[in-house]
Amino acid sequence: MTVLAATSSEPTRLTSAQRVLSILGVFSSEHMALSLSEISRRTGLTLTTTHRLVNELRAWGALRRESDGRYTIGLRILELGTLAPQGLQLREVALPFLDDLRHATHANIHLAVADGHDVIYIESLRARHGVPVLSRLGGRWPMHATGTGLVLLAYSPQEFQEEVLRSKLRQFTAQTVTCPDALRVRLAEVRKSGVAITENQLTQDALAIAAPIRGPRDAVVAAVGVTVPTGSASPHSLVPALAATARGISRALGAPSATPVSGVPVSSPPRIRGLNRSVPRQGR
Amino acid sequence: MTVLAATSSEPTRLTSAQRVLSILGVFSSEHMALSLSEISRRTGLTLTTTHRLVNELRAWGALRRESDGRYTIGLRILELGTLAPQGLQLREVALPFLDDLRHATHANIHLAVADGHDVIYIESLRARHGVPVLSRLGGRWPMHATGTGLVLLAYSPQEFQEEVLRSKLRQFTAQTVTCPDALRVRLAEVRKSGVAITENQLTQDALAIAAPIRGPRDAVVAAVGVTVPTGSASPHSLVPALAATARGISRALGAPSATPVSGVPVSSPPRIRGLNRSVPRQGR
DNA sequence: AACGGAACTTCCGCCGGACGGAAGACCGTT
DNA sequence: AACGGTCTTCCGTCCGGCGGAAGTTCCGTT
């Protein structure tokens, strides 16, 4: 009963902020509705603490209690999420282009941005009679197994690429490429051709093609991808439409490389405070 | 210096969970990027506390630090928000119908659900050459001033309607109806006709028409609306397409009233635990 | 250059609120 | 009736969150 008795697997000292976040974190696409005690078990928090925090979250609108007593994510969180700058703003600009692409190709269309070692789909349009796919708005998948992810990885800093390649790369299908060397080759191909063409990486019988979208400083800020059933169409027949879409969105975002020069662009580069490293300090 | 010295406007005793949430709460569509001290000032938290909590939120992915040092909402929140059951699931089902409606009407299209006294847009499609409108995905607006809001309010429990009508109703334009009695009349009209037709309520020169969407238990779960410039088209020319869209989505959701009977539906009403009040306990 | 201000970061001692055990209410099942 | 499960409330203890203060960096101004 005295001190040092915590011989369990992990002491897991958590700050109170972490407790709050851990509750939100147990919700996922597989577990969208959870009872109080399920939340308690999954977070490892005591029932009492869970009870109190869940109620505070509910009072704020972060959680909602369904009629069966279980808790789900509240609309307040959806509302908040739309404020993510890389997210819905980009979507707003891209949506007309994506819709055109969908009508032209009858394929499933994705718009993805990088977050950690994953991509997150900030838009997902389903072809009316397209194959069912895993991709949904808000979905998160590893970079190495998605077309859009490969594109985003290919244009990431070398250092970050190696970090991802060193990490554990999950195998989704028999053909998922998880060998770092093989992936390096593919990344080089993507940089050379400007598009990623992948097959059966995340799901069987799916062919994915993706291209980079550039922002105001010509940096790659997102990727657009199309997915069709394997064998349904020649990949090369889709590339021109995809490339045009990517270029159109890039131009709408103000990417210099996608803007026809009508003179000498003399816009002076804006001063950036600090080292302009997008990952200033990751761990602790 | 002693006790009882807190003569400031509000003592504002906050729990630590509330502190965390208050930080998230200061982000809005007008303030999507905030510096640390801005967050501190707006929340009323000391700089030290803000610093610590913001870092914990960043480590978890709820916040992101931009290259200029300011903080924005992170994609983790967007990801979470897509798990809201009334949100993106509904959107998934409705999107094809909404797209058809957009092509048929060349209008701005909204899909909205109720949250508190407001509506939240869970989809917003812009006509290619439509009028610019305030509505954006994730946007929140008062029920009384939006077409979709009027529909949702009209089909809410009487008690809730009165609660909303009693509250302070903001005037957006000279024509915004804020008189409770006038609104009661309009709500009755909506229930009678099945559509809401409103003009210049939220913004000038905008005509909005909205219709209810029903779910599996025939309860109104959402509303679909179209917005066009005032005078651009007769409202009545838009109603049939809108009604068809609303009915189509309702049927896709399994609403009995929108499903052609092919026999006697004998599905027994599922037992609901508790009083089945959707707002079990609001305050505190 | 020197100064002043603002924003950000780190350190540390104190105290109040978060924590969890325990007990009670409320189901549905055996 | 007894049981197992979930949810809720109460309360005393203790420790981690809190904020003051000092230090650091980065501005723009004199």
Side-chain angles (χ1 to χ4, degrees):
Chain A
M1 295 304 181
T2 58
V3 289
L4 291 175
T7 52
S8 64
S9 57
E10 282 193 24
T12 53
R13 282 288 88 205
L14 291 180
T15 67
S16 63
Q18 286 169 338
R19 288 174 217 260
V20 172
L21 294 172
S22 71
I23 288 179
L24 295 178
V26 296
F27 289 87
S28 68
S29 55
E30 289 88 39
H31 303 283
M32 303 204 312
L34 297 168
S35 72
L36 184 64
S37 41
E38 280 174 326
I39 297 173
S40 170
R41 278 192 298 272
R42 289 175 177 277
T43 56
L45 303 175
T46 64
L47 194 56
T48 309
T49 298
T50 307
H51 181 258
R52 181 173 39 82
L53 293 181
V54 159
N55 270 343
E56 295 201 61
L57 286 166
R58 185 172 60 77
W60 190 79
L63 293 181
R64 173 187 147 91
R65 189 157 202 188
E66 299 294 328
S67 54
D68 65 355
R70 296 193 300 173
Y71 294 90
T72 58
I73 297 294
L75 287 174
R76 185 86 187 258
I77 297 288
L78 174 63
E79 186 188 358
L80 250 193
T82 60
L83 300 176
Q86 322 130 277
L88 276 290
Q89 260 131 295
L90 191 57
R91 184 197 103 104
E92 189 88 354
V93 172
L95 197 50
F97 296 95
L98 300 178
D99 194 44
D100 289 344
L101 184 60
R102 181 171 67 91
H103 279 101
T105 62
H106 301 293
N108 295 316
I109 312 291
H110 311 129
L111 180 64
V113 295
D115 191 52
H117 289 193
D118 307 313
V119 294
I120 292 200
Y121 294 127
I122 58 174
E123 186 52 278
S124 169
L125 298 178
R126 235 153 264 257
R128 201 60 76 94
H129 301 293
V131 286
V133 284
L134 295 178
S135 56
R136 29 169 249 107
L137 176 54
R140 176 189 290 270
W141 297 99
M143 281 188 169
H144 74 278
T146 56
T148 44
L150 271 191
V151 167
L152 291 170
L153 190 55
Y155 293 94
S156 294
Q158 177 81 24
E159 184 188 338
F160 177 74
Q161 290 181 27
E162 289 303 321
E163 179 188 325
V164 172
L165 293 180
R166 268 197 310 273
S167 68
K168 190 177 170 302
L169 302 175
R170 183 171 159 202
Q171 184 110 25
F172 290 92
T173 74
Q175 285 118 304
T176 305
V177 179
T178 57
C179 164
D181 280 331
L183 282 168
R184 281 192 195 90
V185 172
R186 311 202 87 187
L187 292 175
E189 285 170 5
V190 172
R191 278 187 296 269
K192 186 153 178 258
S193 65
V195 293
I197 302 179
T198 64
E199 219 166 326
N200 307 329
Q201 293 296 295
L202 187 59
T203 55
Q204 206 56 249
D205 302 322
L207 171 68
I209 314 180
I213 294 173
R214 295 171 183 277
R217 313 274 332 133
D218 250 353
V220 173
V221 295
V224 54
V226 302
T227 305
V228 294
T230 301
S232 72
S234 159
H236 299 290
S237 69
L238 294 170
V239 168
L242 180 66
T245 301
R247 190 180 163 89
I249 299 172
S250 297
R251 183 170 55 247
L253 291 174
S257 66
T259 308
V261 275
S262 61
V264 184
V266 286
S267 61
S268 60
R271 300 262 301 279
I272 307 285
R273 218 173 74 173
L275 297 176
N276 194 21
R277 290 279 305 282
S278 44
V279 185
R281 197 193 304 189
Q282 186 68 345
R284 189 64 196 96
Chain B
M1 296 303 179
T2 58
V3 288
L4 290 175
T7 51
S8 63
S9 57
E10 282 193 25
T12 53
R13 282 288 89 206
L14 290 181
T15 68
S16 64
Q18 286 169 338
R19 288 173 217 260
V20 171
L21 294 172
S22 71
I23 288 179
L24 295 178
V26 296
F27 288 88
S28 69
S29 55
E30 290 88 38
H31 302 283
M32 303 205 311
L34 297 167
S35 72
L36 183 64
S37 41
E38 281 174 326
I39 297 172
S40 170
R41 277 192 298 272
R42 289 175 176 277
T43 56
L45 302 175
T46 64
L47 194 55
T48 309
T49 299
T50 307
H51 181 256
R52 182 173 39 82
L53 292 180
V54 159
N55 270 343
E56 295 199 62
L57 287 166
R58 185 172 59 77
W60 189 79
L63 293 182
R64 172 186 147 90
R65 189 159 204 189
E66 298 295 325
S67 54
D68 65 355
R70 296 193 300 172
Y71 294 90
T72 58
I73 297 294
L75 287 174
R76 185 85 186 257
I77 297 289
L78 174 63
E79 185 189 357
L80 250 193
T82 61
L83 301 176
Q86 322 129 278
L88 276 290
Q89 262 132 294
L90 192 56
R91 184 197 103 104
E92 189 89 353
V93 172
L95 197 49
F97 296 94
L98 300 178
D99 194 44
D100 288 345
L101 184 60
R102 181 171 66 92
H103 280 100
T105 61
H106 301 294
N108 296 317
I109 312 291
H110 311 128
L111 180 64
V113 294
D115 192 52
H117 289 194
D118 307 313
V119 294
I120 293 200
Y121 294 127
I122 59 176
E123 185 53 277
S124 170
L125 298 178
R126 234 153 265 254
R128 199 61 76 93
H129 301 292
V131 285
V133 283
L134 295 177
S135 55
R136 29 171 248 107
L137 176 53
R140 177 188 290 270
W141 296 100
M143 280 188 170
H144 74 277
T146 57
T148 46
L150 271 192
V151 168
L152 291 170
L153 190 55
Y155 293 96
S156 295
Q158 177 82 23
E159 184 187 339
F160 177 75
Q161 290 180 27
E162 289 303 322
E163 178 188 325
V164 172
L165 293 181
R166 268 197 310 274
S167 68
K168 190 178 171 300
L169 301 175
R170 184 174 158 198
Q171 183 111 22
F172 290 92
T173 73
Q175 285 117 306
T176 306
V177 179
T178 58
C179 164
D181 280 331
L183 282 167
R184 281 191 195 91
V185 172
R186 313 203 85 187
L187 291 176
E189 286 171 4
V190 171
R191 278 189 295 269
K192 183 151 180 260
S193 65
V195 292
I197 302 179
T198 64
E199 219 166 327
N200 307 330
Q201 293 297 295
L202 187 58
T203 55
Q204 205 56 250
D205 301 323
L207 171 70
I209 313 180
I213 293 173
R214 294 171 182 277
R217 312 273 336 132
D218 249 353
V220 173
V221 295
V224 55
V226 302
T227 305
V228 294
T230 301
S232 71
S234 159
H236 299 290
S237 69
L238 294 169
V239 168
L242 180 66
T245 301
R247 190 179 162 88
I249 299 171
S250 297
R251 183 169 55 246
L253 291 174
S257 66
T259 308
V261 274
S262 62
V264 184
V266 286
S267 63
S268 60
R271 302 265 298 282
I272 307 285
R273 220 172 70 174
L275 296 175
N276 194 22
R277 291 279 303 283
S278 44
V279 185
R281 198 192 306 188
Q282 185 69 344
R284 189 66 198 107

